[in-house]
Amino acid sequence: MRTRKYMEDMVGGQGNVLTHHKTIKDLEKYYATLGDNKDVKEFLNNVTSDKEGILHLFPWSGIVDEDSQLSDTFRVPDPQTGQMRRLISQIPPKEEEMFRNMIRRLNTIVKAAADLDVRIMVDAEQTYFQPAISRITLEMMRKYNKDKAIVFNTYQCYLRETFREVNTDLEQAKRQNFYFGAKLVRGAYMDQERDRAKSLGYPDPVNPTFEATTEMYHKTLSECLRRIKLMKDCDDDARKIGIMVASHNEDTVRFAIQQMKEIGISPEDKVICFGQLLGMCDYITFPLGQAGYSAYKYIPYGPVEEVLPYLSRRAQENKGVLKKIKKEKRLLLSEIRRRLMRGQLFYKPKGNYVPI
Ligand SMILES: Cc1cc2nc3c(=O)[nH]c(=O)nc-3n(C[C@H](O)[C@H](O)[C@H](O)COP(=O)(O)OP(=O)(O)OC[C@H]3O[C@@H](n4cnc5c(N)ncnc54)[C@H](O)[C@@H]3O)c2cc1C
């Protein structure tokens, strides 16, 4: 609330610095009467802007900085007195410590991934946690995706807001000059989302039908492809946008391949990859890999007591996937038969791994 009030005062109405195109000059005007105040001067000295001059009002990078305190990150001078005040309540030291530990671990993981040149995909969860996850992931992208997309955020296309959200983040990546990585999924928590919205009386955040979710998925993917193509045509680095099509839906995988062909993005461009869960839909993953597309298996890894509940939840959420397993078993049997007849029982196609 305090943040929204401050933002509205500063921009002079609803919206934010982006929608009002506010620059550092505007902020200086806002504090003009307090020009000699030491705190205000220091605050204004530390404020930065992006390459289009739009203000970074809050130093969001502070949230992924291992040494700065979360509650100190969002401090601004009071426009009347110039005294510094917090926009978020002071967090108890124990929680501050837990948050910092999490950020430290995240930094360790992402640094290791960057050293090994592998990608980090941060999963998306329910909408009531997701804003924090997305914010931190985007800051990690800003910090680590300077020369390539190492960190990927996940976008759930069953949500009504996803197209808008992906566009906003793509714009931020463009303005702030970092590589954007996105894993596109349909979304795994539909029933929970709907039940919670109903019981607390807020609008259902999920698209009304499966078809609407598919439309959202395809529209979002097409927009990413359109932007990649634009960069390719301008001789810009097309890898500034990297997308994982994470789906077991054959129509969606076909749609992605078709769109890539139509607009002239090849598997060798290494900007689009595909992902399916380990043990599911190998009949989609393997042919993709053999046709030269980057194709990944998502492997749940960890202590058995944590992985099994995860897998059973996924099986519950993805009942449709279980039907696909029947198809998979049928295809596997016919492949075994084919190999026996051709004497290729231990045939192993060669891959050529280059990460997207
Ligand atoms: C590699 C990988 C990573 C994943 N990571 C995540 C993650 O980080 N976060 C996450 O939430 N999920 C994740 N998932 C799961 C994913 O969101 C889907 O639940 C799952 O893949 C099924 O969708 P589909 O596109 O594969 O197949 P499909 O069977 O075609 O689609 C089923 C999905 O459609 C949507 N849907 C079904 N009925 C309706 C309806 N009536 N109205 C609106 N929408 C409907 C739901 O999202 C449902 O899960 C991941 C999946 C994969 C393969």
Side-chain angles (χ1 to χ4, degrees):
M1 280 309 282
R2 258 180 275 170
T3 312
R4 185 176 303 157
K5 170 94 183 49
Y6 175 76
M7 186 71 85
E8 284 174 2
D9 281 354
M10 198 258 140
V11 300
Q14 298 237 311
N16 54 43
V17 287
L18 189 57
T19 49
H20 288 262
H21 211 283
K22 291 289 176 193
T23 62
I24 294 183
K25 282 259 162 306
D26 295 313
L27 191 65
E28 284 168 356
K29 265 192 227 149
Y30 182 61
Y31 285 113
T33 54
L34 296 164
D36 292 335
N37 183 296
K38 190 170 98 9
D39 288 339
V40 175
K41 265 193 188 157
E42 198 183 326
F43 173 75
L44 290 174
N45 278 343
N46 288 327
V47 164
T48 55
S49 62
D50 64 25
K51 64 179 192 210
E52 283 165 27
I54 295 176
L55 193 61
H56 295 159
L57 192 50
F58 306 121
W60 280 104
S61 55
I63 61 171
V64 291
D65 178 352
E66 292 171 19
D67 300 318
S68 61
Q69 295 287 301
L70 192 58
S71 36
D72 285 341
T73 301
F74 302 99
R75 291 171 82 232
V76 292
D78 184 291
Q80 261 80 50
T81 63
Q83 215 175 19
M84 294 303 282
R85 60 182 165 96
R86 289 196 165 91
L87 290 176
I88 55 171
S89 316
Q90 174 92 51
I91 293 169
K94 191 82 208 149
E95 286 184 22
E96 188 75 72
E97 188 191 333
M98 277 160 47
F99 184 80
R100 283 296 136 216
N101 285 342
M102 177 192 72
I103 294 296
R104 231 165 266 140
R105 289 185 201 114
L106 259 178
N107 275 307
T108 306
I109 293 170
V110 179
K111 270 183 213 148
D115 288 346
L116 295 168
D117 196 16
V118 296
R119 310 293 167 255
I120 287 285
M121 312 257 161
V122 181
D123 278 3
E125 305 297 334
Q126 292 87 340
T127 45
Y128 29 101
F129 308 120
Q130 193 51 32
I133 300 175
S134 265
R135 190 68 249 168
I136 292 169
T137 309
L138 220 65
E139 284 313 312
M140 285 286 174
M141 273 195 215
R142 189 139 70 106
K143 186 168 174 184
Y144 290 98
N145 290 8
K146 295 212 164 104
D147 307 310
K148 56 176 78 160
I150 296 287
V151 180
F152 281 57
N153 197 12
T154 300
Y155 296 89
Q156 296 157 312
C157 297
Y158 65 7
L159 296 176
R160 296 170 197 251
E161 284 300 308
T162 296
F163 181 73
R164 204 183 50 80
E165 200 193 322
V166 170
N167 266 298
T168 307
D169 292 354
L170 277 162
E171 281 300 316
Q172 184 183 342
K174 191 168 146 197
R175 282 197 326 274
Q176 297 176 356
N177 211 14
F178 60 86
Y179 283 57
F180 176 80
K183 163 159 68 90
L184 297 184
V185 298
R186 277 189 167 73
Y189 307 105
M190 187 172 72
D191 294 341
Q192 283 177 43
E193 292 286 0
R194 289 199 163 140
D195 290 350
R196 189 170 189 269
K198 202 168 163 198
S199 68
L200 297 180
Y202 61 85
D204 181 358
V206 176
N207 285 313
T209 59
F210 173 74
E211 288 70 28
T213 293
T214 298
E215 196 187 324
M216 173 70 81
Y217 197 117
H218 293 185
K219 185 168 128 184
T220 307
L221 176 60
S222 298
E223 175 60 16
C224 296
L225 290 169
R226 187 188 69 80
R227 287 174 183 252
I228 293 171
K229 173 72 172 146
L230 270 181
M231 287 191 294
K232 223 180 143 182
D233 288 348
C234 302
D235 279 338
D236 199 352
D237 185 359
R239 293 187 191 188
K240 280 191 176 159
I241 299 177
I243 303 293
M244 172 181 266
V245 176
S247 175
H248 301 126
N249 184 306
E250 291 164 46
D251 292 337
T252 290
V253 171
R254 243 182 248 119
F255 176 85
I257 291 173
Q258 192 60 33
Q259 289 275 303
M260 285 171 72
K261 277 195 184 131
E262 269 172 29
I263 66 174
I265 295 172
S266 73
E268 290 75 39
D269 287 326
K270 296 287 171 196
V271 289
I272 304 290
C273 68
F274 296 85
Q276 286 80 38
L277 302 182
L278 180 72
M280 289 181 184
C281 299
D282 287 351
Y283 63 90
I284 296 180
T285 321
F286 292 169
L288 278 170
Q290 283 162 18
Y293 293 91
S294 299
Y296 293 82
K297 295 310 280 193
Y298 230 56
I299 308 176
Y301 174 86
V304 172
E305 65 273 18
E306 282 173 29
V307 171
L308 278 183
Y310 165 89
L311 283 177
S312 77
R313 268 202 313 274
R314 277 280 135 90
Q316 281 280 322
E317 286 146 7
N318 302 320
K319 288 190 197 93
V321 163
L322 297 178
K323 276 191 219 127
K324 291 170 190 163
I325 288 176
K326 277 196 192 140
K327 176 169 180 180
E328 179 143 30
K329 275 167 76 179
R330 191 166 33 80
L331 288 170
L332 278 173
L333 270 176
S334 69
E335 175 64 7
I336 291 173
R337 245 180 266 127
R338 190 191 69 81
R339 288 190 186 191
L340 280 173
M341 305 227 308
R342 299 236 174 121
Q344 283 184 326
L345 196 57
F346 298 107
Y347 164 71
K348 201 172 171 199
K350 270 221 159 65
N352 183 14
Y353 176 71
V354 182
I356 129 166

